[in-house]
């Protein structure tokens, strides 16, 4: 198998390439509605009625809080969201949608819904179920590798050393 084909058969390469293609598609569509892929994703993760605590949005999206802060500032400037103190706990900041935010959220929702319908129409239910099982295993493996119990970093470090040592031996 050629090098390029090997890359395409790599799980992380396939996921990243697919995600980039999806993001590009959503960004192109979002231009017509004044939102980016990231903005749409945030809008979809805000409760329309009560708002959502700022601290809950980043974990829902698998993002770092720093990245989300920049997006929220931009969304606030555009008039898509408001920050409000929680009525019960003044320490909490709730992110609430404005009327314009609700309109753009609906555009994002329809885009996601339509894309999912297109995919579901092309894939047999059994294959789709397998896909979600595989994604769950990928997420569990990633979580384990990020946790203290996972020795992923150590295993990779050892493999790098081993590979470098082999190269040195070959040059001798």
């Amino acid at each position: 198998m050629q090098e390029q084909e090997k890359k395409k058969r790599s799980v992380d390469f396939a996921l990243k390439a697919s995600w980039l293609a999806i993001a590009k598609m959503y960004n192109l569509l979002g231009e017509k509605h004044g939102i980016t892929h990231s903005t749409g994703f945030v809008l979809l993760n805000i409760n329309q009625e009560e708002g959502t605590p700022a601290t809950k949005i980043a974990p829902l999206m698998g993002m770092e809080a720093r990245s989300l802060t920049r997006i929220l500032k931009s969304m606030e400037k555009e008039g898509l969201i408001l920050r409000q103190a929680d009525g019960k706990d003044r320490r909490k900041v709730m992110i609430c949608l404005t009327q314009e935010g609700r309109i753009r959220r609906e555009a994002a929702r329809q885009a996601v819904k339509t894309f999912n319908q297109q995919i579901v129409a092309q894939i047999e239910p059994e294959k789709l179920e397998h896909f979600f099982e595989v994604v769950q295993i990928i997420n569990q493996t990633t979580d384990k590798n990020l946790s203290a119990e996972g020795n992923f970093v150590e295993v990779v470090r050892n493999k790098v050393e081993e590979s470098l040592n082999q190269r040195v031996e070959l040059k001798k």
Side-chain angles (χ1 to χ4, degrees), residues 114-152:
T114 301
F115 179 65
N116 276 282
Q117 287 169 344
Q118 290 173 336
I119 297 299
V120 168
Q122 296 179 67
I123 300 175
E124 299 164 25
E126 187 179 301
K127 285 186 177 181
L128 203 53
E129 190 56 39
H130 287 302
F131 168 77
F132 286 115
E133 288 170 8
V134 169
V135 168
Q136 184 177 16
I137 291 167
I138 291 168
N139 289 334
Q140 288 169 346
T141 303
T142 304
D143 288 345
K144 181 181 174 195
N145 286 341
L146 289 170
S147 74
E149 75 182 60
N151 61 349
F152 183 71

Side-chain angles (χ1 to χ4, degrees), residues 74-86:
S74 169
M75 291 173 71
E76 195 170 23
K77 231 190 266 184
E78 290 178 47
L80 303 178
I81 61 166
L82 297 170
R83 295 173 197 250
Q84 297 178 338
D86 185 324

Side-chain angles (χ1 to χ4, degrees), residues 105-117:
R105 181 186 192 280
E106 183 58 21
R109 191 178 83 77
Q110 289 301 327
V112 169
K113 190 174 170 184
T114 301
F115 179 65
N116 276 282
Q117 287 169 344

Side-chain angles (χ1 to χ4, degrees), residues 23-38:
K24 183 177 180 180
M25 176 190 69
Y26 283 144
N27 278 329
L28 189 63
L29 179 64
E31 277 181 36
K32 293 172 179 41
H33 299 282
I35 56 175
T36 64
H37 173 245
S38 298

